[in-house]
């Protein structure tokens, strides 16, 4: 439950999530507006239709949040070793779990968006580990 709530909070502050969440309600509003442009209807009906669209949009977005916040995971038992495969931020996982990050055979460590992209898992790991080493070094020295 704690992982799910942290995922919901993460989604709420994610601009990309909101761009995807509003696609269906936007299309629904556009469709209704297009139809109402050519059809003459009573004002009371238009107001009720507008409020109905708002309620449908809110329900859709709540369902979208619930679906997107569900962490999907699987645990495999291979020769007595438990392997958990889960979606989410690998750097936010428990520190007592082993994490597997693939590198090439040369183990390049230059994060310059040429050899290793700063947006790749390798780049993020290297930037984070170098930052942590620098903080530890400052703490030891300082």
């Amino acid at each position: 439950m704690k992982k799910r709530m942290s995922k919901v909070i993460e989604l709420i502050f994610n601009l990309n999530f909101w761009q995807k969440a509003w696609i269906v309600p936007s299309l629904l509003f556009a469709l209704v507006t297009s139809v109402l442009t050519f059809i003459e209807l009573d004002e009371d009906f238009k107001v009720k239709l507008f409020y109905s669209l708002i309620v449908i949009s809110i329900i859709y977005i709540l369902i979208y949040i619930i679906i997107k916040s569900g962490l999907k995971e699987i645990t495999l038992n291979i020769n007595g070793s438990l392997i958990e495969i889960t979606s989410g931020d690998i750097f936010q996982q428990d520190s007592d779990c082993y994490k597997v990050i693939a590198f090439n055979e040369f183990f390049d460590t230059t994060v310059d968006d040429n050899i290793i992209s700063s947006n790749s898992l390798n780049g993020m790991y290297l930037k984070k580990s170098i930052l942590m080493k620098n903080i530890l070094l400052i703490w030891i020295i300082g």
Side-chain angles (χ1 to χ4, degrees):
M1 187 66 174
K2 187 176 180 182
K3 286 184 180 181
R4 189 176 201 124
M5 282 308 296
S6 67
K7 182 70 174 179
V8 168
I9 292 170
E10 178 185 324
L11 287 174
I12 288 173
F13 293 106
N14 186 339
L15 178 63
N16 190 33
F17 166 78
W18 287 109
Q19 289 173 341
K20 291 179 182 176
W22 280 105
I23 289 174
V24 172
S26 299
L27 290 173
L28 189 60
F29 272 93
L31 178 68
V32 170
T33 303
S34 299
V35 170
L36 290 179
T37 301
F38 300 106
I39 298 175
E40 190 69 31
L41 294 175
D42 184 44
E43 282 299 315
D44 288 335
F45 181 77
K46 286 182 180 180
V47 170
K48 289 178 184 176
L49 184 61
F50 175 73
Y51 286 124
S52 299
L53 287 174
I54 290 176
V55 170
I56 290 170
S57 297
I58 291 171
I59 291 171
Y60 173 82
I61 289 176
L62 288 175
I63 291 171
Y64 193 77
I65 288 172
I66 291 169
I67 290 171
K68 291 296 183 179
S69 68
L71 292 176
K72 298 177 185 130
E73 60 185 39
I74 185 170
T75 303
L76 304 172
N77 186 348
I78 300 175
N79 296 331
S81 297
L82 291 179
I83 299 173
E84 181 180 338
I85 301 171
T86 183
S87 64
D89 188 352
I90 194 168
F91 303 115
Q92 297 297 323
Q93 301 295 323
D94 295 334
S95 61
D96 61 342
C97 297
Y98 291 109
K99 295 156 187 77
V100 178
I101 301 173
F103 281 82
N104 64 15
E105 67 250 20
F106 303 110
F107 196 74
D108 293 320
T109 57
T110 305
V111 182
D112 61 356
D113 290 328
N114 188 18
I115 295 174
I116 297 176
S117 171
S118 59
N119 294 326
S120 69
L121 185 59
N122 300 51
M124 288 185 271
Y125 172 75
L126 289 171
K127 286 193 301 187
K128 183 178 173 90
S129 65
I130 290 170
L131 176 67
M132 292 307 289
K133 286 178 185 175
N134 288 342
I135 290 172
L136 182 62
L137 186 61
I138 291 169
W139 184 73
I140 290 172
I141 293 174

